[in-house]
Amino acid sequence: MAPLTPRLVVPIDVKKQPWEQKVPLHNRWHPDIPPVADVTEGELFRVEMVDWSGGRVRDDNSADDMKSMDFTIAHYLSGPLRIVDSEGVPASPGDLLAVEICNLGPLPGDEWGYTAILERENGGGFLTDHFPSARKAIWYFEGIYAYSPQIPGVRFPGLTHPGVVGTAPSVELLNIWNEREKRLAETNQETLQLCEVLHQRPLAHLPNPENCLLGKIQEGTAEWHKIANEAARTIAGRENGGNCDIKNLSRGSKVYLPVFVEGGNLSTGDMHFSQGDGEISLCGAIEMSGFLELKCEIIRGGMKEYLTPVGPTPLHVNPIFEIGSVEPRFSEWLVFEGISVDESGKQHFLDASVSYKRAVLNAIEYLSRFGYSKEQVYLLLSCCPCEGRISGIVDSPNAVTTLAIPTAIFDQDVKPKRFGGRPLPGPQLRRLPDLLSCSNDGHPPVTQGEK
């Protein structure tokens, strides 16, 4: 007997706003956001999703939409879904929810996505000190491949995945999140610099009722106001999974999520056609609308049996991910190394963030010799299937990291000559400053080191 067609539990109409969808969406974590549907353990079901911004980013050549993006909207999620067993008994706190990704992809008729650099004043990214202005590249999909008019000479297969997948927190866990993040946010920012320069980014995103969408809960009611002022933002990954941006969580993968509330209340969103390790430009995957076809299994008592708490309570756990066997295959890579010495020559003690920043900057500087602007390379390294690694974290004083780039994604040879000399020049690519710049700023893209 042929398998059944997946049951569509959350449909999406990309022509409508997130708050106009037939099945309500939400953009916060809270135990009292009611489930929109029940899903039975073992059944194959389909969840559709808007892109994380809910359609605010346009398929055009201007980055104005990213320059002024309001991040209180992030992320629009589909769900929550209440998971029950074959007898109708819901998942219980202390269980594990094994979520298998059976299929996924862009929504039919909406086969495009985008990668962007954020404005410094709007949060910036990993290399904000080098690239302070908003930029955007549009990507179009041809089956498993993506190409961009803004970054010519590049085409690669996507490792499609959800950026956000998680369960609802309990009241106790939500209070833990809010208390610890509030303490961090109240810290003197100048004492917590990341790579010496990224202290202008918010240290934590605290509950904020602005643009809060709570599914079935009607805005303006007393219940809405209570939850909106308590609910956790979806920007950070936490004990429930959430915004982990793990690029290998694709077709055939499983994620084992802890259950904190009755039914688990599973939610997902932030679909990515492709992403590099680290998603370095922050809005750095190929963001898109999309769908997941999933199956769930309830592992009774699984939290205690399989997860080890690292913290003061049994709630301080983290999910386990099982990677599927379907991934793009590359045979040749160009690998850039970084150490924990910053651009000024200052030594940092075993700082993997500084080291990875150096690896990324080394890659940008090298690839810009082949006709790309540095903004183009930054965007590319954020969304192409490159591999980041911590190679050494024990040998004082330098942490050593690497960034490996598959050379097959380029239509020219970017490898150095075997016996010295300058890198092979290849055909010079067109620089496209106008397509990567904000349409109203009147300036071409800045280059590395310019402010």
Side-chain angles (χ1 to χ4, degrees), residues 361-397:
L361 287 172
N362 291 340
I364 290 173
E365 184 66 32
Y366 178 86
L367 291 175
S368 66
R369 301 174 185 178
F370 293 85
Y372 294 104
S373 72
K374 292 186 169 100
E375 285 85 359
Q376 287 173 312
V377 182
Y378 184 26
L379 287 165
L380 177 62
L381 296 182
S382 194
C383 68
C384 79
C386 56
E387 301 280 349
R389 295 286 186 272
I390 295 178
S391 301
I393 201 67
V394 295
D395 296 320
S396 302

PDB file of all heavy atoms in Angstrom, residues 361-397:
ATOM      1  N   LEU A 361      38.080  36.855   7.608  1.00  0.00           N
ATOM      2  CA  LEU A 361      38.709  37.999   6.952  1.00  0.00           C
ATOM      3  C   LEU A 361      39.789  37.562   5.968  1.00  0.00           C
ATOM      4  O   LEU A 361      39.950  38.152   4.893  1.00  0.00           O
ATOM      5  CB  LEU A 361      39.294  38.944   8.000  1.00  0.00           C
ATOM      6  CG  LEU A 361      38.281  39.761   8.807  1.00  0.00           C
ATOM      7  CD1 LEU A 361      38.976  40.496   9.944  1.00  0.00           C
ATOM      8  CD2 LEU A 361      37.541  40.749   7.910  1.00  0.00           C
ATOM      9  N   ASN A 362      40.529  36.526   6.322  1.00  0.00           N
ATOM     10  CA  ASN A 362      41.544  36.009   5.400  1.00  0.00           C
ATOM     11  C   ASN A 362      40.893  35.490   4.118  1.00  0.00           C
ATOM     12  O   ASN A 362      41.401  35.719   3.009  1.00  0.00           O
ATOM     13  CB  ASN A 362      42.349  34.899   6.064  1.00  0.00           C
ATOM     14  CG  ASN A 362      43.242  35.408   7.188  1.00  0.00           C
ATOM     15  OD1 ASN A 362      43.556  36.592   7.251  1.00  0.00           O
ATOM     16  ND2 ASN A 362      43.651  34.515   8.077  1.00  0.00           N
ATOM     17  N   ALA A 363      39.775  34.787   4.258  1.00  0.00           N
ATOM     18  CA  ALA A 363      39.059  34.276   3.084  1.00  0.00           C
ATOM     19  C   ALA A 363      38.510  35.418   2.237  1.00  0.00           C
ATOM     20  O   ALA A 363      38.580  35.379   1.001  1.00  0.00           O
ATOM     21  CB  ALA A 363      37.932  33.344   3.531  1.00  0.00           C
ATOM     22  N   ILE A 364      37.947  36.439   2.882  1.00  0.00           N
ATOM     23  CA  ILE A 364      37.402  37.585   2.144  1.00  0.00           C
ATOM     24  C   ILE A 364      38.501  38.294   1.366  1.00  0.00           C
ATOM     25  O   ILE A 364      38.345  38.627   0.184  1.00  0.00           O
ATOM     26  CB  ILE A 364      36.696  38.559   3.108  1.00  0.00           C
ATOM     27  CG1 ILE A 364      35.401  37.925   3.645  1.00  0.00           C
ATOM     28  CG2 ILE A 364      36.386  39.885   2.420  1.00  0.00           C
ATOM     29  CD1 ILE A 364      34.718  38.734   4.720  1.00  0.00           C
ATOM     30  N   GLU A 365      39.629  38.540   2.022  1.00  0.00           N
ATOM     31  CA  GLU A 365      40.729  39.225   1.364  1.00  0.00           C
ATOM     32  C   GLU A 365      41.226  38.431   0.158  1.00  0.00           C
ATOM     33  O   GLU A 365      41.484  38.991  -0.915  1.00  0.00           O
ATOM     34  CB  GLU A 365      41.878  39.436   2.367  1.00  0.00           C
ATOM     35  CG  GLU A 365      43.048  40.232   1.821  1.00  0.00           C
ATOM     36  CD  GLU A 365      42.693  41.667   1.510  1.00  0.00           C
ATOM     37  OE1 GLU A 365      41.824  42.222   2.222  1.00  0.00           O
ATOM     38  OE2 GLU A 365      43.274  42.241   0.565  1.00  0.00           O
ATOM     39  N   TYR A 366      41.340  37.132   0.298  1.00  0.00           N
ATOM     40  CA  TYR A 366      41.841  36.293  -0.799  1.00  0.00           C
ATOM     41  C   TYR A 366      40.867  36.265  -1.972  1.00  0.00           C
ATOM     42  O   TYR A 366      41.246  36.506  -3.123  1.00  0.00           O
ATOM     43  CB  TYR A 366      42.091  34.877  -0.280  1.00  0.00           C
ATOM     44  CG  TYR A 366      42.558  33.921  -1.353  1.00  0.00           C
ATOM     45  CD1 TYR A 366      43.901  33.817  -1.677  1.00  0.00           C
ATOM     46  CD2 TYR A 366      41.650  33.136  -2.049  1.00  0.00           C
ATOM     47  CE1 TYR A 366      44.340  32.948  -2.671  1.00  0.00           C
ATOM     48  CE2 TYR A 366      42.062  32.267  -3.041  1.00  0.00           C
ATOM     49  CZ  TYR A 366      43.416  32.175  -3.353  1.00  0.00           C
ATOM     50  OH  TYR A 366      43.822  31.326  -4.337  1.00  0.00           O
ATOM     51  N   LEU A 367      39.586  35.984  -1.700  1.00  0.00           N
ATOM     52  CA  LEU A 367      38.618  35.832  -2.794  1.00  0.00           C
ATOM     53  C   LEU A 367      38.315  37.152  -3.488  1.00  0.00           C
ATOM     54  O   LEU A 367      37.866  37.160  -4.638  1.00  0.00           O
ATOM     55  CB  LEU A 367      37.335  35.187  -2.260  1.00  0.00           C
ATOM     56  CG  LEU A 367      37.473  33.723  -1.836  1.00  0.00           C
ATOM     57  CD1 LEU A 367      36.180  33.222  -1.199  1.00  0.00           C
ATOM     58  CD2 LEU A 367      37.859  32.843  -3.016  1.00  0.00           C
ATOM     59  N   SER A 368      38.568  38.270  -2.810  1.00  0.00           N
ATOM     60  CA  SER A 368      38.326  39.562  -3.453  1.00  0.00           C
ATOM     61  C   SER A 368      39.345  39.834  -4.566  1.00  0.00           C
ATOM     62  O   SER A 368      39.175  40.768  -5.345  1.00  0.00           O
ATOM     63  CB  SER A 368      38.365  40.695  -2.422  1.00  0.00           C
ATOM     64  OG  SER A 368      39.661  40.857  -1.877  1.00  0.00           O
ATOM     65  N   ARG A 369      40.389  39.014  -4.660  1.00  0.00           N
ATOM     66  CA  ARG A 369      41.362  39.153  -5.743  1.00  0.00           C
ATOM     67  C   ARG A 369      40.825  38.619  -7.070  1.00  0.00           C
ATOM     68  O   ARG A 369      41.463  38.782  -8.104  1.00  0.00           O
ATOM     69  CB  ARG A 369      42.646  38.410  -5.391  1.00  0.00           C
ATOM     70  CG  ARG A 369      43.321  38.884  -4.114  1.00  0.00           C
ATOM     71  CD  ARG A 369      44.507  38.009  -3.765  1.00  0.00           C
ATOM     72  NE  ARG A 369      45.090  38.371  -2.475  1.00  0.00           N
ATOM     73  CZ  ARG A 369      46.120  37.735  -1.921  1.00  0.00           C
ATOM     74  NH1 ARG A 369      46.675  36.710  -2.558  1.00  0.00           N
ATOM     75  NH2 ARG A 369      46.585  38.116  -0.749  1.00  0.00           N
ATOM     76  N   PHE A 370      39.674  37.986  -7.036  1.00  0.00           N
ATOM     77  CA  PHE A 370      39.145  37.356  -8.246  1.00  0.00           C
ATOM     78  C   PHE A 370      37.982  38.145  -8.846  1.00  0.00           C
ATOM     79  O   PHE A 370      37.155  37.608  -9.565  1.00  0.00           O
ATOM     80  CB  PHE A 370      38.711  35.921  -7.934  1.00  0.00           C
ATOM     81  CG  PHE A 370      39.866  35.028  -7.596  1.00  0.00           C
ATOM     82  CD1 PHE A 370      40.360  34.976  -6.298  1.00  0.00           C
ATOM     83  CD2 PHE A 370      40.490  34.265  -8.562  1.00  0.00           C
ATOM     84  CE1 PHE A 370      41.437  34.165  -5.979  1.00  0.00           C
ATOM     85  CE2 PHE A 370      41.566  33.459  -8.256  1.00  0.00           C
ATOM     86  CZ  PHE A 370      42.049  33.406  -6.958  1.00  0.00           C
ATOM     87  N   GLY A 371      37.913  39.432  -8.552  1.00  0.00           N
ATOM     88  CA  GLY A 371      36.907  40.287  -9.165  1.00  0.00           C
ATOM     89  C   GLY A 371      35.688  40.543  -8.319  1.00  0.00           C
ATOM     90  O   GLY A 371      34.801  41.282  -8.728  1.00  0.00           O
ATOM     91  N   TYR A 372      35.606  39.927  -7.141  1.00  0.00           N
ATOM     92  CA  TYR A 372      34.472  40.170  -6.252  1.00  0.00           C
ATOM     93  C   TYR A 372      34.752  41.374  -5.355  1.00  0.00           C
ATOM     94  O   TYR A 372      35.899  41.612  -4.956  1.00  0.00           O
ATOM     95  CB  TYR A 372      34.219  38.955  -5.349  1.00  0.00           C
ATOM     96  CG  TYR A 372      33.768  37.720  -6.066  1.00  0.00           C
ATOM     97  CD1 TYR A 372      34.639  36.660  -6.284  1.00  0.00           C
ATOM     98  CD2 TYR A 372      32.459  37.607  -6.520  1.00  0.00           C
ATOM     99  CE1 TYR A 372      34.222  35.514  -6.938  1.00  0.00           C
ATOM    100  CE2 TYR A 372      32.026  36.465  -7.172  1.00  0.00           C
ATOM    101  CZ  TYR A 372      32.919  35.422  -7.378  1.00  0.00           C
ATOM    102  OH  TYR A 372      32.508  34.299  -8.031  1.00  0.00           O
ATOM    103  N   SER A 373      33.706  42.104  -4.992  1.00  0.00           N
ATOM    104  CA  SER A 373      33.856  43.080  -3.919  1.00  0.00           C
ATOM    105  C   SER A 373      33.887  42.321  -2.600  1.00  0.00           C
ATOM    106  O   SER A 373      33.439  41.176  -2.503  1.00  0.00           O
ATOM    107  CB  SER A 373      32.691  44.074  -3.915  1.00  0.00           C
ATOM    108  OG  SER A 373      31.498  43.449  -3.461  1.00  0.00           O
ATOM    109  N   LYS A 374      34.407  42.957  -1.576  1.00  0.00           N
ATOM    110  CA  LYS A 374      34.482  42.290  -0.275  1.00  0.00           C
ATOM    111  C   LYS A 374      33.091  42.052   0.311  1.00  0.00           C
ATOM    112  O   LYS A 374      32.866  41.068   1.018  1.00  0.00           O
ATOM    113  CB  LYS A 374      35.352  43.109   0.667  1.00  0.00           C
ATOM    114  CG  LYS A 374      36.825  43.102   0.241  1.00  0.00           C
ATOM    115  CD  LYS A 374      37.697  43.790   1.268  1.00  0.00           C
ATOM    116  CE  LYS A 374      39.170  43.515   0.939  1.00  0.00           C
ATOM    117  NZ  LYS A 374      39.830  44.582   0.251  1.00  0.00           N
ATOM    118  N   GLU A 375      32.136  42.950  -0.010  1.00  0.00           N
ATOM    119  CA  GLU A 375      30.755  42.717   0.440  1.00  0.00           C
ATOM    120  C   GLU A 375      30.179  41.452  -0.191  1.00  0.00           C
ATOM    121  O   GLU A 375      29.469  40.689   0.467  1.00  0.00           O
ATOM    122  CB  GLU A 375      29.868  43.909   0.089  1.00  0.00           C
ATOM    123  CG  GLU A 375      30.068  45.130   0.968  1.00  0.00           C
ATOM    124  CD  GLU A 375      31.205  45.995   0.478  1.00  0.00           C
ATOM    125  OE1 GLU A 375      31.853  45.628  -0.533  1.00  0.00           O
ATOM    126  OE2 GLU A 375      31.461  47.033   1.102  1.00  0.00           O
ATOM    127  N   GLN A 376      30.462  41.249  -1.469  1.00  0.00           N
ATOM    128  CA  GLN A 376      29.974  40.048  -2.138  1.00  0.00           C
ATOM    129  C   GLN A 376      30.515  38.784  -1.478  1.00  0.00           C
ATOM    130  O   GLN A 376      29.782  37.821  -1.244  1.00  0.00           O
ATOM    131  CB  GLN A 376      30.358  40.075  -3.621  1.00  0.00           C
ATOM    132  CG  GLN A 376      29.559  41.065  -4.453  1.00  0.00           C
ATOM    133  CD  GLN A 376      30.093  41.161  -5.873  1.00  0.00           C
ATOM    134  OE1 GLN A 376      31.288  41.296  -6.081  1.00  0.00           O
ATOM    135  NE2 GLN A 376      29.196  41.096  -6.838  1.00  0.00           N
ATOM    136  N   VAL A 377      31.794  38.785  -1.138  1.00  0.00           N
ATOM    137  CA  VAL A 377      32.396  37.604  -0.510  1.00  0.00           C
ATOM    138  C   VAL A 377      31.825  37.383   0.893  1.00  0.00           C
ATOM    139  O   VAL A 377      31.539  36.252   1.295  1.00  0.00           O
ATOM    140  CB  VAL A 377      33.931  37.727  -0.451  1.00  0.00           C
ATOM    141  CG1 VAL A 377      34.541  36.461   0.152  1.00  0.00           C
ATOM    142  CG2 VAL A 377      34.503  37.966  -1.837  1.00  0.00           C
ATOM    143  N   TYR A 378      31.648  38.456   1.642  1.00  0.00           N
ATOM    144  CA  TYR A 378      31.052  38.352   2.984  1.00  0.00           C
ATOM    145  C   TYR A 378      29.676  37.701   2.916  1.00  0.00           C
ATOM    146  O   TYR A 378      29.374  36.763   3.669  1.00  0.00           O
ATOM    147  CB  TYR A 378      30.984  39.753   3.592  1.00  0.00           C
ATOM    148  CG  TYR A 378      30.490  39.848   5.017  1.00  0.00           C
ATOM    149  CD1 TYR A 378      30.600  38.802   5.912  1.00  0.00           C
ATOM    150  CD2 TYR A 378      29.908  41.036   5.468  1.00  0.00           C
ATOM    151  CE1 TYR A 378      30.154  38.917   7.227  1.00  0.00           C
ATOM    152  CE2 TYR A 378      29.464  41.171   6.777  1.00  0.00           C
ATOM    153  CZ  TYR A 378      29.585  40.104   7.648  1.00  0.00           C
ATOM    154  OH  TYR A 378      29.127  40.230   8.939  1.00  0.00           O
ATOM    155  N   LEU A 379      28.838  38.179   2.004  1.00  0.00           N
ATOM    156  CA  LEU A 379      27.513  37.582   1.834  1.00  0.00           C
ATOM    157  C   LEU A 379      27.618  36.117   1.420  1.00  0.00           C
ATOM    158  O   LEU A 379      26.897  35.251   1.939  1.00  0.00           O
ATOM    159  CB  LEU A 379      26.722  38.361   0.788  1.00  0.00           C
ATOM    160  CG  LEU A 379      26.204  39.740   1.205  1.00  0.00           C
ATOM    161  CD1 LEU A 379      25.783  40.543  -0.015  1.00  0.00           C
ATOM    162  CD2 LEU A 379      25.042  39.602   2.181  1.00  0.00           C
ATOM    163  N   LEU A 380      28.523  35.821   0.507  1.00  0.00           N
ATOM    164  CA  LEU A 380      28.668  34.455   0.015  1.00  0.00           C
ATOM    165  C   LEU A 380      29.095  33.506   1.128  1.00  0.00           C
ATOM    166  O   LEU A 380      28.542  32.397   1.275  1.00  0.00           O
ATOM    167  CB  LEU A 380      29.686  34.422  -1.121  1.00  0.00           C
ATOM    168  CG  LEU A 380      30.007  33.047  -1.717  1.00  0.00           C
ATOM    169  CD1 LEU A 380      28.767  32.425  -2.332  1.00  0.00           C
ATOM    170  CD2 LEU A 380      31.134  33.161  -2.734  1.00  0.00           C
ATOM    171  N   LEU A 381      30.068  33.913   1.936  1.00  0.00           N
ATOM    172  CA  LEU A 381      30.557  33.037   3.004  1.00  0.00           C
ATOM    173  C   LEU A 381      29.516  32.833   4.099  1.00  0.00           C
ATOM    174  O   LEU A 381      29.614  31.893   4.885  1.00  0.00           O
ATOM    175  CB  LEU A 381      31.838  33.621   3.606  1.00  0.00           C
ATOM    176  CG  LEU A 381      33.043  33.705   2.662  1.00  0.00           C
ATOM    177  CD1 LEU A 381      34.251  34.257   3.401  1.00  0.00           C
ATOM    178  CD2 LEU A 381      33.363  32.341   2.060  1.00  0.00           C
ATOM    179  N   SER A 382      28.548  33.707   4.156  1.00  0.00           N
ATOM    180  CA  SER A 382      27.483  33.549   5.136  1.00  0.00           C
ATOM    181  C   SER A 382      26.457  32.517   4.708  1.00  0.00           C
ATOM    182  O   SER A 382      25.832  31.882   5.553  1.00  0.00           O
ATOM    183  CB  SER A 382      26.799  34.896   5.378  1.00  0.00           C
ATOM    184  OG  SER A 382      26.002  34.855   6.533  1.00  0.00           O
ATOM    185  N   CYS A 383      26.293  32.318   3.394  1.00  0.00           N
ATOM    186  CA  CYS A 383      25.188  31.470   2.937  1.00  0.00           C
ATOM    187  C   CYS A 383      25.604  30.245   2.135  1.00  0.00           C
ATOM    188  O   CYS A 383      24.797  29.326   1.970  1.00  0.00           O
ATOM    189  CB  CYS A 383      24.189  32.287   2.124  1.00  0.00           C
ATOM    190  SG  CYS A 383      24.805  32.862   0.528  1.00  0.00           S
ATOM    191  N   CYS A 384      26.824  30.174   1.612  1.00  0.00           N
ATOM    192  CA  CYS A 384      27.221  28.992   0.856  1.00  0.00           C
ATOM    193  C   CYS A 384      27.586  27.861   1.821  1.00  0.00           C
ATOM    194  O   CYS A 384      27.807  28.098   3.013  1.00  0.00           O
ATOM    195  CB  CYS A 384      28.396  29.327  -0.076  1.00  0.00           C
ATOM    196  SG  CYS A 384      30.015  29.396   0.735  1.00  0.00           S
ATOM    197  N   PRO A 385      27.656  26.610   1.346  1.00  0.00           N
ATOM    198  CA  PRO A 385      27.883  25.469   2.264  1.00  0.00           C
ATOM    199  C   PRO A 385      29.340  25.341   2.698  1.00  0.00           C
ATOM    200  O   PRO A 385      29.982  24.295   2.527  1.00  0.00           O
ATOM    201  CB  PRO A 385      27.427  24.272   1.435  1.00  0.00           C
ATOM    202  CG  PRO A 385      27.625  24.675   0.021  1.00  0.00           C
ATOM    203  CD  PRO A 385      27.342  26.147  -0.031  1.00  0.00           C
ATOM    204  N   CYS A 386      29.899  26.402   3.285  1.00  0.00           N
ATOM    205  CA  CYS A 386      31.269  26.345   3.806  1.00  0.00           C
ATOM    206  C   CYS A 386      31.254  25.733   5.211  1.00  0.00           C
ATOM    207  O   CYS A 386      30.235  25.702   5.893  1.00  0.00           O
ATOM    208  CB  CYS A 386      31.910  27.730   3.810  1.00  0.00           C
ATOM    209  SG  CYS A 386      31.017  28.991   4.721  1.00  0.00           S
ATOM    210  N   GLU A 387      32.416  25.236   5.614  1.00  0.00           N
ATOM    211  CA  GLU A 387      32.528  24.502   6.876  1.00  0.00           C
ATOM    212  C   GLU A 387      33.458  25.234   7.830  1.00  0.00           C
ATOM    213  O   GLU A 387      34.625  25.490   7.500  1.00  0.00           O
ATOM    214  CB  GLU A 387      33.077  23.095   6.618  1.00  0.00           C
ATOM    215  CG  GLU A 387      32.243  22.238   5.671  1.00  0.00           C
ATOM    216  CD  GLU A 387      31.039  21.620   6.354  1.00  0.00           C
ATOM    217  OE1 GLU A 387      30.972  21.682   7.603  1.00  0.00           O
ATOM    218  OE2 GLU A 387      30.163  21.076   5.652  1.00  0.00           O
ATOM    219  N   GLY A 388      32.961  25.579   9.021  1.00  0.00           N
ATOM    220  CA  GLY A 388      33.780  26.202  10.054  1.00  0.00           C
ATOM    221  C   GLY A 388      34.170  25.184  11.108  1.00  0.00           C
ATOM    222  O   GLY A 388      33.363  24.325  11.479  1.00  0.00           O
ATOM    223  N   ARG A 389      35.393  25.263  11.588  1.00  0.00           N
ATOM    224  CA  ARG A 389      35.881  24.303  12.573  1.00  0.00           C
ATOM    225  C   ARG A 389      36.727  25.000  13.643  1.00  0.00           C
ATOM    226  O   ARG A 389      37.477  25.936  13.340  1.00  0.00           O
ATOM    227  CB  ARG A 389      36.766  23.241  11.911  1.00  0.00           C
ATOM    228  CG  ARG A 389      36.058  22.343  10.912  1.00  0.00           C
ATOM    229  CD  ARG A 389      35.155  21.331  11.617  1.00  0.00           C
ATOM    230  NE  ARG A 389      34.602  20.387  10.660  1.00  0.00           N
ATOM    231  CZ  ARG A 389      33.469  20.569   9.987  1.00  0.00           C
ATOM    232  NH1 ARG A 389      32.794  21.700  10.155  1.00  0.00           N
ATOM    233  NH2 ARG A 389      33.015  19.653   9.155  1.00  0.00           N
ATOM    234  N   ILE A 390      36.599  24.541  14.875  1.00  0.00           N
ATOM    235  CA  ILE A 390      37.577  24.871  15.913  1.00  0.00           C
ATOM    236  C   ILE A 390      38.626  23.773  15.847  1.00  0.00           C
ATOM    237  O   ILE A 390      38.369  22.626  16.215  1.00  0.00           O
ATOM    238  CB  ILE A 390      36.940  24.948  17.302  1.00  0.00           C
ATOM    239  CG1 ILE A 390      35.941  26.099  17.366  1.00  0.00           C
ATOM    240  CG2 ILE A 390      38.017  25.116  18.372  1.00  0.00           C
ATOM    241  CD1 ILE A 390      35.226  26.220  18.698  1.00  0.00           C
ATOM    242  N   SER A 391      39.801  24.116  15.339  1.00  0.00           N
ATOM    243  CA  SER A 391      40.846  23.112  15.141  1.00  0.00           C
ATOM    244  C   SER A 391      41.695  22.915  16.388  1.00  0.00           C
ATOM    245  O   SER A 391      42.164  21.813  16.652  1.00  0.00           O
ATOM    246  CB  SER A 391      41.737  23.530  13.957  1.00  0.00           C
ATOM    247  OG  SER A 391      40.964  23.662  12.783  1.00  0.00           O
ATOM    248  N   GLY A 392      41.907  23.989  17.142  1.00  0.00           N
ATOM    249  CA  GLY A 392      42.690  23.881  18.368  1.00  0.00           C
ATOM    250  C   GLY A 392      42.198  24.869  19.395  1.00  0.00           C
ATOM    251  O   GLY A 392      42.070  26.057  19.105  1.00  0.00           O
ATOM    252  N   ILE A 393      41.899  24.400  20.600  1.00  0.00           N
ATOM    253  CA  ILE A 393      41.371  25.272  21.653  1.00  0.00           C
ATOM    254  C   ILE A 393      42.124  25.054  22.967  1.00  0.00           C
ATOM    255  O   ILE A 393      41.692  25.475  24.029  1.00  0.00           O
ATOM    256  CB  ILE A 393      39.849  25.038  21.831  1.00  0.00           C
ATOM    257  CG1 ILE A 393      39.162  26.228  22.522  1.00  0.00           C
ATOM    258  CG2 ILE A 393      39.578  23.728  22.567  1.00  0.00           C
ATOM    259  CD1 ILE A 393      39.129  27.481  21.714  1.00  0.00           C
ATOM    260  N   VAL A 394      43.300  24.398  22.900  1.00  0.00           N
ATOM    261  CA  VAL A 394      44.032  24.061  24.121  1.00  0.00           C
ATOM    262  C   VAL A 394      45.453  24.616  24.154  1.00  0.00           C
ATOM    263  O   VAL A 394      46.062  24.688  25.221  1.00  0.00           O
ATOM    264  CB  VAL A 394      44.094  22.526  24.321  1.00  0.00           C
ATOM    265  CG1 VAL A 394      42.696  21.973  24.546  1.00  0.00           C
ATOM    266  CG2 VAL A 394      44.758  21.836  23.140  1.00  0.00           C
ATOM    267  N   ASP A 395      46.017  24.987  23.006  1.00  0.00           N
ATOM    268  CA  ASP A 395      47.420  25.372  22.978  1.00  0.00           C
ATOM    269  C   ASP A 395      47.577  26.873  23.172  1.00  0.00           C
ATOM    270  O   ASP A 395      47.319  27.673  22.267  1.00  0.00           O
ATOM    271  CB  ASP A 395      48.054  24.950  21.644  1.00  0.00           C
ATOM    272  CG  ASP A 395      48.056  23.438  21.472  1.00  0.00           C
ATOM    273  OD1 ASP A 395      48.314  22.749  22.479  1.00  0.00           O
ATOM    274  OD2 ASP A 395      47.803  22.964  20.355  1.00  0.00           O
ATOM    275  N   SER A 396      47.998  27.277  24.349  1.00  0.00           N
ATOM    276  CA  SER A 396      48.130  28.687  24.695  1.00  0.00           C
ATOM    277  C   SER A 396      49.197  29.347  23.831  1.00  0.00           C
ATOM    278  O   SER A 396      50.230  28.743  23.530  1.00  0.00           O
ATOM    279  CB  SER A 396      48.517  28.833  26.163  1.00  0.00           C
ATOM    280  OG  SER A 396      47.570  28.213  27.002  1.00  0.00           O
ATOM    281  N   PRO A 397      48.952  30.623  23.441  1.00  0.00           N
ATOM    282  CA  PRO A 397      47.758  31.424  23.729  1.00  0.00           C
ATOM    283  C   PRO A 397      46.745  31.453  22.597  1.00  0.00           C
ATOM    284  O   PRO A 397      45.739  32.124  22.709  1.00  0.00           O
ATOM    285  CB  PRO A 397      48.360  32.820  23.911  1.00  0.00           C
ATOM    286  CG  PRO A 397      49.485  32.848  22.912  1.00  0.00           C
ATOM    287  CD  PRO A 397      50.056  31.448  22.883  1.00  0.00           C
TER     288      PRO A 397
END
